[in-house]
Amino acid sequence: LPALEGELAPSSLAAQAGDNGKFSSQGKDVLLVIGHSESLGKSGFTSIVRSVQQSLVQVFQETQELRFGVAVYRDFSVGKSSVSVLSLKEHPMQVIDFLKGELSQTDLGNPDPALAVNAGIQAGLTQTGTQAPSEQLLIVLGDVGNHSRQDPSQVSEDDLIQLLIKHQPDVFLR
């Protein structure tokens, strides 16, 4: 899978999307998978939301042909609400409003359990309304990686690999 490197600065999303060779900004899906776990902390999530807000506003000014979907993951100890999903939207304010609502989440889980990052990626690819295969940019921001990889409740790496093969997104990890 092609990987995109570097900072998610306000203008870099559009620039990197075009430079990759596969992903163009015409009518494509940008899937944001964002960590909001206890280990990341509220200030870390607030910082990510602020950066995403600035980036979305900049990108929307440059092109209005992108759709944005969001999956926010927390610790597995939260249970059924370990992932929140926003289906694909064409206007960034809908994404920003969703993320601001996520700022009020207080039950983030235990400080060092398995994270629901795999479940977040799965939800981003399967619950946002994007179709496979299509040109997608999958951006994973936050506390990437599970603290406890043997947690039986997590989405297996094999299942995740199959989803990535099916959807074939460009991937940006930060």
Side-chain angles (χ1 to χ4, degrees):
L1 299 174
L4 301 173
E5 303 286 336
E7 297 292 323
L8 185 64
S11 62
S12 69
L13 177 56
Q16 289 178 11
D19 290 345
N20 181 280
K22 173 187 169 205
F23 187 87
S24 67
S25 64
Q26 297 182 356
K28 306 306 180 217
D29 299 339
V30 177
L31 307 173
L32 302 170
V33 177
I34 303 173
H36 189 202
S37 64
E38 184 68 33
S39 58
L40 185 61
K42 185 165 180 130
S43 63
F45 184 71
T46 301
S47 176
I48 290 172
V49 168
R50 189 177 305 116
S51 294
V52 167
Q53 180 176 350
Q54 292 170 350
S55 296
L56 290 179
V57 169
Q58 178 73 33
V59 167
F60 190 70
Q61 290 172 351
E62 294 174 16
T63 179
Q64 296 181 7
E65 298 176 358
L66 294 174
R67 298 184 306 169
F68 302 92
V70 181
V72 175
Y73 66 88
R74 289 175 273 287
D75 296 333
F76 273 107
S77 60
V78 174
K80 290 183 179 181
S81 62
S82 64
V83 179
S84 299
V85 176
L86 177 70
S87 61
L88 291 170
K89 303 297 178 193
E90 294 179 3
H91 198 282
M93 285 311 299
Q94 294 169 298
V95 174
I96 293 166
D97 289 344
F98 173 79
L99 291 175
K100 286 181 178 177
E102 286 295 308
L103 283 171
S104 65
Q105 274 286 352
T106 56
D107 185 9
L108 304 178
N110 296 325
D112 199 27
L115 298 175
V117 62
N118 289 4
I121 293 170
Q122 179 187 51
L125 291 171
T126 62
Q127 297 177 28
T128 58
T130 190
Q131 300 296 313
S134 66
E135 291 189 37
Q136 303 160 345
L137 177 61
L138 175 65
I139 301 174
V140 183
L141 302 168
D143 214 355
V144 178
N146 290 319
H147 297 179
S148 171
R149 298 196 183 274
Q150 300 305 315
D151 186 315
S153 65
Q154 70 183 347
V155 174
S156 76
E157 290 179 6
D158 289 341
D159 289 345
L160 192 61
I161 289 168
Q162 291 303 313
L163 272 174
L164 292 171
I165 290 169
K166 177 181 176 184
H167 285 264
Q168 300 179 12
D170 288 330
V171 179
F172 178 92
L173 302 173
R174 182 72 182 128

